[in-house]
Amino acid sequence: MTERESAFAITERSKSSIIQHKNFESRYVDNRTVDVWIPPRFTFDKVQKYKVLYVHDGQNIFNDRSQNNSKQWGIGQTLENLISEGKVAPTIVVAIHNNGFKRFIEYMPEVPKEYTSTPQARAILKANFGVTELQSNNYLKFIVEELIPFIKTTYPISNEKKDTVIMGSSMGGLISLYAISKYPAIFGAAGCISTHW
């Protein structure tokens, strides 16, 4: 067992697991928790390369108690079924927790700047969030420059763009669309559910 495997106490298991990385540090945004769901029979074997799904509002993805409507998304159960039926390749899910109050300023796209940085827009941000600038570019830098490299060095995931997907609902759908527009060389697809327009 490698040091990485023993650190997470993971061996090949019959059930899925969630590994929580608390207080994940960033130069671009506030530190936050990141949950990583791994499928049944996951192994750190270098031969198997997993697809990866990055999901916003991570505290809502696997835990009923942290979701506003007391229902988690069911991504784990759904993927488990699809993987076992051979309909989806082995995949891990990276659930990025939001920072509550700052969710809007991190998920609202900064472009087109001619609309998001007008005096009126800055006044609205200041009155509602205590800031005058959106932080979505920094949030995406956190994902692309810090989180993705960490996931690539910690878990045996594919480096292929087609195997890297980003997803969210509402504002999470909007930032997912922004992410694939801003980083088309990184993300092969975006899941935009009930997108907040």
Side-chain angles (χ1 to χ4, degrees):
M1 184 181 289
T2 67
E3 183 178 329
R4 182 174 296 135
E5 288 173 305
S6 61
F8 295 120
I10 290 178
T11 56
E12 190 170 323
R13 297 180 180 185
S14 60
K15 294 184 177 181
S16 61
S17 301
I18 296 173
I19 301 164
Q20 191 167 80
H21 300 278
K22 292 186 176 181
N23 205 31
F24 192 99
E25 293 184 10
S26 172
R27 299 184 314 271
Y28 299 111
V29 294
D30 292 341
N31 297 354
R32 67 200 60 223
T33 296
V34 175
D35 295 330
V36 179
W37 177 88
I38 56 175
R41 292 167 296 286
F42 176 88
T43 176
F44 277 96
D45 185 343
K46 302 290 185 200
V47 176
Q48 174 69 66
K49 294 294 185 184
Y50 293 83
K51 294 177 183 280
V52 61
L53 172 63
Y54 293 91
V55 186
H56 311 288
D57 295 315
Q59 66 271 26
N60 299 337
I61 306 306
F62 306 113
N63 185 351
D64 283 341
R65 291 185 303 277
S66 66
Q67 168 62 282
N68 292 336
N69 64 9
S70 298
K71 291 290 182 190
Q72 51 106 339
W73 285 28
I75 287 178
Q77 297 92 327
T78 302
L79 268 177
E80 210 168 300
N81 293 338
L82 292 172
I83 291 168
S84 70
E85 293 168 7
K87 295 179 179 174
V88 171
T91 301
I92 70 169
V93 179
V94 179
I96 309 160
H97 289 219
N98 70 47
N99 273 348
F101 184 68
K102 293 186 176 178
R103 179 178 184 267
F104 180 87
I105 62 172
E106 288 184 345
Y107 290 9
M108 180 68 182
E110 291 184 46
V111 296
K113 280 283 192 184
E114 60 266 26
Y115 297 111
T116 64
S117 60
T118 64
Q120 296 86 353
R122 289 175 188 269
I124 290 168
L125 288 172
K126 184 70 172 172
N128 290 285
F129 303 101
V131 297
T132 57
E133 297 283 339
L134 294 169
Q135 295 296 312
S136 53
N137 287 347
N138 280 341
Y139 176 68
L140 293 181
K141 283 182 184 177
F142 152 66
I143 294 172
V144 169
E145 296 179 21
E146 296 173 332
L147 182 59
I148 290 177
F150 169 79
I151 296 297
K152 284 183 176 180
T153 58
T154 306
Y155 300 92
I157 65 166
S158 167
N159 288 317
E160 298 288 329
K161 177 178 102 164
K162 67 181 178 59
D163 296 331
T164 307
V165 177
I166 193 160
M167 179 178 132
S169 71
S170 190
M171 290 295 295
L174 191 58
I175 191 64
S176 297
L177 180 62
Y178 190 45
I180 198 169
S181 299
K182 197 162 178 60
Y183 294 98
I186 301 292
F187 301 106
C192 308
I193 303 165
S194 300
T195 305
H196 179 98
W197 296 113

